[in-house]
Amino acid sequence: MCHAPCVQRSLIQLSLRFLGDLAYPPKCPLCDSFVQSRDSACPQCEPYIQRFRSDAHIELPGRIWISYARSCFAYDGRVRDALQAMKYSKRLDLARFFGREMASEAREMGPFDLLACVPMACARIRGRGYNPAALLSRAVAKSCGVPFAPGVLRRSRDAAPQVGLPREERVRNVVGAFEVSRAADARIDGARVLLIDDVLTTGATANDCARALSKAGADEICVLTAARAL
């Protein structure tokens, strides 16, 4: 039975949401046209969005530590522009849109004990001010009710950015680049972990993160990204 304070709280939340929509009408995150539901793509953008409903095929030299990986969209067109705006132009609001889509996928993939994200180099975080993968992870965690542990993974060495590197260089660039922090070992042991990132390209970065998680005792590591490179 719901008590009066609970009902009152719900009414207040609905009222605040209504007032917020009046002051700041919801817009399509991909083109800024007005929409009925916040953080939803408009009918004009939907035909230009390619959604994935299948696991990603990851082919790398050596062992694949990932159980399976999924992405919500193809990294193309308006989705690519939106992700780049989130990463490089401080469009942090876009994390809500992608996080909402990813949370729906995560619920189908789950259950999970823990969410982790691909960490950024400290210098890049200082320059950008945030880690896009962490923003997405927080949005997914909030929607799914799965704990997010941002400090579980860290970089064991600096590696050049993957953007622009050929496939072979991408793979070599991140070998042994990640490790699990000692303080996180107990949380990882026996856990089913969902690893979050923004874009899946070769899968080399995610696979090395999965290697570190598995070595620390994770029972299974799955990967979920907002988009997948074609």
Side-chain angles (χ1 to χ4, degrees):
M1 180 180 292
C2 186
H3 299 288
C6 181
V7 174
Q8 186 177 18
R9 194 182 309 117
S10 297
L11 288 173
I12 291 172
Q13 290 173 345
L14 287 172
S15 299
L16 290 174
R17 190 178 305 159
F18 175 73
L19 291 173
D21 285 348
L22 285 179
Y24 304 99
K27 292 184 177 182
C28 171
L30 303 181
C31 73
D32 280 343
S33 62
F34 291 108
V35 292
Q36 292 184 341
S37 178
R38 194 171 297 278
D39 301 323
S40 297
C42 69
Q44 289 73 34
C45 283
E46 279 291 347
Y48 296 95
I49 297 174
Q50 181 180 342
R51 298 176 185 270
F52 286 118
R53 301 300 301 171
S54 60
D55 295 351
H57 176 66
I58 296 176
E59 186 174 341
L60 296 167
R63 179 173 175 178
I64 303 298
W65 298 87
I66 299 166
S67 294
Y68 62 94
R70 289 186 186 175
S71 303
C72 293
F73 304 104
Y75 187 60
D76 190 38
R78 299 185 187 189
V79 168
R80 180 189 59 219
D81 293 344
L83 279 171
Q84 289 184 351
M86 183 186 75
K87 293 173 67 173
Y88 305 118
S89 301
K90 300 187 183 299
R91 283 289 308 277
L92 308 190
D93 57 298
L94 290 168
R96 294 197 306 267
F97 166 69
F98 289 110
R100 177 180 176 178
E101 297 284 342
M102 293 171 74
S104 177
E105 195 71 33
R107 282 189 285 270
E108 291 188 14
M109 297 169 68
F112 294 99
D113 301 303
L114 198 70
L115 294 186
C117 70
V118 174
M120 282 180 64
C122 292
R124 295 178 67 195
I125 290 181
R126 285 195 297 269
R128 188 174 297 175
Y130 57 94
N131 179 359
L135 294 179
L136 296 172
S137 297
R138 289 190 178 93
V140 174
K142 183 178 180 180
S143 180
C144 294
V146 180
F148 168 45
V152 161
L153 282 166
R154 64 186 183 188
R155 288 184 176 261
S156 55
R157 62 174 177 80
D158 289 332
Q162 293 282 77
V163 177
L165 294 179
R167 179 182 177 84
E168 294 77 11
E169 277 297 312
R170 280 178 171 266
V171 174
R172 287 195 294 268
N173 188 46
V174 294
V175 172
F178 302 96
E179 64 184 7
V180 170
S181 64
R182 290 183 180 178
D185 281 354
R187 302 188 68 180
I188 294 299
D189 191 36
R192 189 167 190 255
V193 181
L194 180 62
L195 179 67
I196 300 286
D197 204 3
D198 52 357
V199 180
L200 182 72
T201 307
T202 62
T205 297
N207 195 54
D208 198 71
C209 288
R211 174 199 57 78
L213 290 166
S214 182
K215 293 286 187 180
D219 186 57
E220 185 178 23
I221 304 100
C222 301
V223 173
L224 176 61
T225 67
R228 187 192 313 169
L230 297 175

